[in-house]
Amino acid sequence: MKRQEFINQLMERANGTPCERGEAFAPANIALCKYWGKRNAELNLPVNSSLSISLGSLGTRTVVRYAECADGVFLNGEAAPRAFSARVSAYLDLFRRGRQFFEVRTENTIPTAAGLASSASGFAALVKALDELLGWGFSLCELSMLARVGSGSASRSLFDGFAVWHMGQRADGMDSFAEGFSEDWKELRVGILEVSNAWKKVGSTEGMNRTRETSELFEAWPAQAQCDYDELRTAIAAKDFPMFGKTAENNAMAMHATMMAAWPPLCYWLPQTVSLMQEVWCAREGGLDLYFTMDAGPNLKLLFLEESRAAVKALFPMVQVVEPFA
Ligand code: 2P0
């Protein structure tokens, strides 16, 4: 099935009222059980379910209006880089009626493309804004499927707190959507350690495809991810922080292992990434309840509880602490 057919199928359910403009915010999300590998690249259907935590007020705010004779895409107040605009316009193509154009103004409160999941908050904010502008009146489940087509991880950015993205089984992707879940964890903290905010050389889409096609270790990934997904759900329900942290960190390391075994090899880490990881391990040996996760980039996201905040701050003075359930 083509992307356009999938969208058309969903659009048959639209029944809202259009507006002159649409505006929305969506949070960035950090996967604790990662999405890595597609069973269908056209529809962004994953080989495993994933689970994430959203970052509260860190994310993307987007305003969409109609434009006269061409799309205008703006990022943080300036004309967006060509690759960024092209990706947004290609996505808008899925929804245009005739010669219809859009102005998209998007502001990020997180570095773009530094592995801080800004394509996730970007596409999630865009579909929410389009829902208002074009009057679809969709549910969050339906919006998550639209966001998924833009970028897989965007499906999870429709929600605050914890979210799961069900991989689904159907070939048409109609059962591959995300949803929030009711558990919260007030004491949970995410600490962002930025190593670099440079644009990455190999994007996630290419990275995933290369890993799936060439990495011997990838065969083991879907089963491990399913296992980690189940353990994280159990750890969250029981508020078992050591189990939660260990599972998330191990899941991230396993994902990176699959990439390193790809050809050409794929390593998103920089020397400073590795030294920060070693500092975390050393602090943990010293009794600090501290774990990390990492996405397709060099930055670390620390996982800890409020009670460890002072110790974490002392160890990493540059850490940006996020309270996901504030
Ligand atoms: C995640 N990542 O679960 C994983 C962990 C990166 C590492 O989802 O090809 O930008 O647009 O569907 O969503 C990044 O992948 O990829 C990502 P596409 P996306 O957050």
Side-chain angles (χ1 to χ4, degrees):
M1 178 181 262
K2 289 282 171 207
R3 224 167 249 223
Q4 188 70 62
E5 288 171 66
F6 176 80
I7 299 292
N8 295 349
Q9 199 171 316
L10 262 180
M11 286 302 148
E12 285 172 17
R13 304 183 191 173
N15 65 353
T17 316
C19 296
E20 278 179 17
R21 79 198 270 286
E23 176 168 1
F25 172 81
N29 78 76
I30 303 293
L32 303 164
C33 177
K34 311 292 185 187
Y35 150 51
W36 198 249
K38 308 180 192 216
R39 65 187 160 90
N40 178 328
E42 175 76 16
L43 300 177
N44 282 342
L45 300 177
V47 299
N48 63 282
S49 296
S50 55
L51 186 154
S52 62
I53 178 88
S54 288
L55 297 187
S57 61
L58 285 188
T60 304
R61 177 164 297 282
T62 294
V63 178
V64 197
R65 295 184 184 83
Y66 296 107
E68 285 290 312
C69 48
D71 289 340
V73 182
F74 300 86
L75 177 61
N76 298 331
E78 292 175 16
R82 190 187 290 264
F84 186 101
S85 308
R87 191 167 177 197
V88 171
S89 277
Y91 186 70
L92 292 171
D93 286 346
L94 296 167
F95 309 106
R96 285 181 221 281
R97 293 246 169 93
R99 284 184 53 78
Q100 187 178 48
F101 298 102
F102 301 95
E103 180 190 282
V104 178
R105 290 189 173 268
T106 189
E107 310 275 339
N108 278 331
T109 51
I110 39 170
T112 300
L116 285 178
S118 53
S119 76
S121 55
F123 277 103
L126 182 58
V127 294
K128 280 170 83 176
L130 286 171
D131 183 63
E132 193 176 326
L133 180 79
L134 301 174
W136 296 327
F138 283 148
S139 66
L140 288 175
C141 163
E142 288 161 332
L143 290 177
S144 82
M145 290 196 278
L146 287 182
R148 184 201 84 214
V149 170
S151 193
S153 54
S155 63
R156 301 184 308 242
S157 269
L158 270 308
F159 306 91
D160 289 317
F162 293 114
V164 293
W165 170 16
H166 304 287
M167 63 177 285
Q169 302 293 338
R170 289 171 57 150
D172 69 0
M174 282 294 178
D175 57 354
S176 185
F177 59 88
E179 59 185 341
F181 60 99
S182 59
E183 268 120 331
D184 63 4
W185 199 338
K186 297 249 177 322
E187 304 78 21
L188 184 66
R189 301 291 176 261
V190 177
I192 297 171
L193 287 178
E194 191 175 301
V195 170
S196 165
N197 69 1
W199 286 80
K200 46 192 178 188
K201 290 196 192 90
V202 180
S204 294
T205 309
E206 186 191 335
M208 275 186 227
N209 292 342
R210 188 190 298 177
T211 307
R212 190 165 182 220
E213 282 158 19
T214 68
S215 172
E216 293 282 353
L217 298 189
F218 190 76
E219 211 177 285
W221 168 254
Q224 161 148 18
Q226 181 59 50
C227 206
D228 291 343
Y229 176 92
D230 294 339
E231 293 219 346
L232 282 165
R233 298 268 344 213
T234 305
I236 292 166
K239 301 276 191 296
D240 181 338
F241 185 70
M243 181 185 186
F244 173 85
K246 176 195 166 211
T247 309
E249 184 174 311
N250 187 239
N251 181 269
M253 294 302 282
M255 176 187 73
H256 282 275
T258 68
M259 299 179 197
M260 288 178 201
W263 197 264
L266 200 51
C267 181
Y268 287 102
W269 301 350
L270 293 173
Q272 202 197 339
T273 312
V274 178
S275 61
L276 289 170
M277 285 160 51
Q278 284 168 339
E279 283 185 62
V280 170
W281 293 328
C282 188
R284 204 156 68 219
E285 274 171 24
L288 187 63
D289 238 355
L290 176 66
Y291 301 84
F292 64 81
T293 183
M294 267 181 300
D295 293 298
N299 304 310
L300 256 70
K301 290 88 178 198
L302 302 177
L303 301 169
F304 57 97
L305 295 176
E306 173 60 26
E307 64 196 25
S308 307
R309 185 199 280 248
V312 170
K313 274 267 190 194
L315 205 56
F316 304 105
M318 66 295 204
V319 69
Q320 184 184 357
V321 179
V322 180
E323 301 189 7
F325 296 97

